Amino acid sequence: MEVFRAVADALQFSAEKMKKNGLFATDRFFCDVYAFEPGQSQGGHRHAGSDKIYFVLQGTGDFQVDAERRTLGAGSVVFCGAGSEHAVSNPGPERLALLVFMAPPPR
Amino acid sequence: MEVFRAVADALQFSAEKMKKNGLFATDRFFCDVYAFEPGQSQGGHRHAGSDKIYFVLQGTGDFQVDAERRTLGAGSVVFCGAGSEHAVSNPGPERLALLVFMAPPPR
């Protein structure tokens, strides 16, 4: 596995749906870059045994974690604890890119 | 634990040594913001059972992972696998800030 990566080199968008671009993955965690065109989303879901972090790299995201909702821009960090229901959507007009960590990776 | 955080609110520097600012911590991982004034460093060290990621938020860092060395700026990501020797220093002239993720947290 490459030790040094650049988000800009990994970041790819898809016109069809939000795109997950992998940076690093081990048995202990994964680190991805998620890319959302305006209007794209990741619907509400849960990971029973894994914690997740979203870090906003660019654009604006509408985030839901259980009953809490927030619209956040670059530099914001969202914690989705194991078992929480979480969702993200891009209200636009900019593209949205998130650095995502999950530990452990889903089995 | 707060679900939504802003890196800018957590980011504090110390004139004495590099400063670790906690964002989130669970039994599965921690997520911190590390802050280095020019000339400050985190010396070479290893975590036997944990993987670590550094993401460069601002400034420039000199990174070492085992025998590999690289000088990297904002948007770069560094993987320090379990057992690897890793170190960071800030050559300046800007302040260096890193988003840091480790899974699992050191015991």
Side-chain angles (χ1 to χ4, degrees):
Chain A
M1 187 158 61
E2 195 65 43
V3 169
F4 304 106
R5 302 288 307 268
V7 163
D9 295 340
L11 182 59
Q12 295 190 336
F13 291 80
S14 164
E16 302 213 352
K17 62 174 186 174
M18 63 80 71
K19 184 165 174 59
K20 301 178 180 182
N21 304 283
L23 286 178
F24 306 106
T26 75
D27 291 343
R28 300 179 179 91
F29 82 106
F30 74 70
C31 178
D32 284 355
V33 181
Y34 286 7
F36 301 77
E37 295 281 8
Q40 292 181 342
S41 62
Q42 183 178 40
H45 63 291
R46 302 170 191 267
H47 304 284
S50 299
D51 296 322
K52 183 192 278 182
I53 291 282
Y54 294 122
F55 173 74
V56 183
L57 293 162
Q58 66 178 71
T60 300
D62 288 332
F63 294 88
Q64 177 215 331
V65 181
D66 290 328
E68 301 204 61
R69 291 170 187 273
R70 203 76 68 88
T71 299
L72 300 168
S76 292
V77 198
V78 179
F79 171 69
C80 311
S84 66
E85 182 183 14
H86 51 281
V88 186
S89 62
N90 180 4
E94 293 173 66
R95 286 174 154 183
L96 171 66
L98 306 177
L99 191 65
V100 181
F101 302 100
M102 188 183 298
R107 310 295 177 187
Chain B
M1 186 158 63
E2 195 64 44
V3 168
F4 304 107
R5 302 288 305 268
V7 164
D9 294 341
L11 181 59
Q12 295 190 337
F13 290 81
S14 164
E16 303 214 351
K17 60 173 187 174
M18 63 81 71
K19 186 167 171 60
K20 301 178 180 182
N21 304 282
L23 286 178
F24 305 106
T26 75
D27 292 342
R28 301 179 179 90
F29 82 105
F30 75 71
C31 180
D32 285 355
V33 180
Y34 287 5
F36 302 76
E37 293 282 8
Q40 293 181 342
S41 62
Q42 183 177 40
H45 64 291
R46 300 171 191 269
H47 304 285
S50 299
D51 295 323
K52 183 193 277 183
I53 291 282
Y54 295 121
F55 173 74
V56 183
L57 294 161
Q58 66 176 70
T60 300
D62 289 332
F63 293 88
Q64 177 215 333
V65 181
D66 290 328
E68 300 205 62
R69 291 169 186 276
R70 204 74 67 91
T71 299
L72 301 168
S76 293
V77 198
V78 180
F79 172 68
C80 311
S84 67
E85 182 182 14
H86 51 281
V88 187
S89 62
N90 180 4
E94 292 173 66
R95 285 174 156 182
L96 171 65
L98 306 177
L99 190 66
V100 181
F101 178 85
M102 188 186 296
R107 310 294 177 188

